[in-house]
Amino acid sequence: MTFATITGHEQQKNILRRALSKNRIAHAYLFEGPDGIGKRLMALAFARALLCLKSTGCGDCPACRKVDHNNHPDVHLLDAEETTIKIDQVRSLQQELSLRPLEGKDKICLIDGAEQLTPGAANALLKTLEEPQPNTLIILLTSHPEKLLPTICSRCQRLPFSRLPKQQLATILCQRLDLNSTEANVLAALSDGSLKKALGQNKQLYLEKRHNLIQSLSALSSGSTIPTFSLADELATEKDLLPDILDIFQAFYRDVLLMKHGRPKEELVNLDLLESLEKQSKILSTDSLMIKLKALDSARFHLQRNVNRQLALEVMLIRMTAA
Ligand SMILES: [Zn+2]
């Protein structure tokens, strides 16, 4: 992994490259921005450039290869165990950082999902950030900087990352996945700037399952309780993908609304479903579309708060079909 192989984020790359070339590296960084856009890859590329025996991140020397294979003894990665990063994990990291580097001149530690630090772990980490050891670098990664202690944030050099622009993402998807431009645009729009989402399990959901999901939903009519409940059953089994499925429904009805109001095609997500968007835009009134979108929003709100999934979905579908 080098800076050059990471897609986008040119400004962030330049900041890190400059720090490396001037040898002015902060003792701690906070990479903040949405999940799945390349923060972790960037941290690893930075680590590799720092530890490379040729100081270039060449990719060929033993140090570069160990970073790439996650077995460099001076690179430590801290991830959540279950759902939190615990104080014991921070303590053993601190012990590790107090020793001299084994192979390179620096010790590097990545804390991924830093918002998952428990309060105790965060306070323990604060001590390390307040009294940095020479030749140690800590990189915190988070998609929720607002959940970190302000004192932790202020001890780090902050580097914000943004989502990849839709057009850039579509171009990459065209090249990497051998998609036509309509498919690539649909996938890019639904992936919300996350290359990881677009390349992972969401690809199948967005390109293959989406049509069926939208069809099942738009086929429901008010009063048809059996199909409504059976769709709710089906959706309830998709625990991990459910937020993304709700996004699909939302994007669809948003498209219908845009089409109804004559917005240009470039603003639509479902470019491969124009016929069906057209049809729905003639059948559905603006009011009924707004009710559907509100029902989706409210289901999302309740699901994030761990209410009974089945029930939330049934209520959502009943409200959507009645509209
Ligand atoms: Zn190297």
Side-chain angles (χ1 to χ4, degrees), residues 54-68:
K54 297 176 191 163
S55 306
T56 58
C58 69
D60 290 325
C61 72
C64 280
R65 268 186 266 139
K66 282 181 189 170
V67 175
D68 285 350

Side-chain angles (χ1 to χ4, degrees), residues 216-217 219-235 310 313-322:
S216 316
L217 181 63
L220 296 180
S221 59
S222 67
S224 60
T225 44
I226 293 170
T228 304
F229 289 128
S230 76
L231 182 59
D233 285 345
E234 191 190 322
L235 296 178
Q310 181 85 25
L313 289 165
E314 284 168 6
V315 171
M316 174 189 91
L317 292 175
I318 290 167
R319 287 177 61 194
M320 288 180 84
T321 48

Side-chain angles (χ1 to χ4, degrees), residues 257-270:
L257 196 60
L258 291 173
M259 189 165 244
K260 198 171 178 65
H261 292 271
R263 303 298 303 172
K265 225 176 80 178
E266 292 69 45
E267 292 182 16
L268 305 178
V269 171
N270 297 277

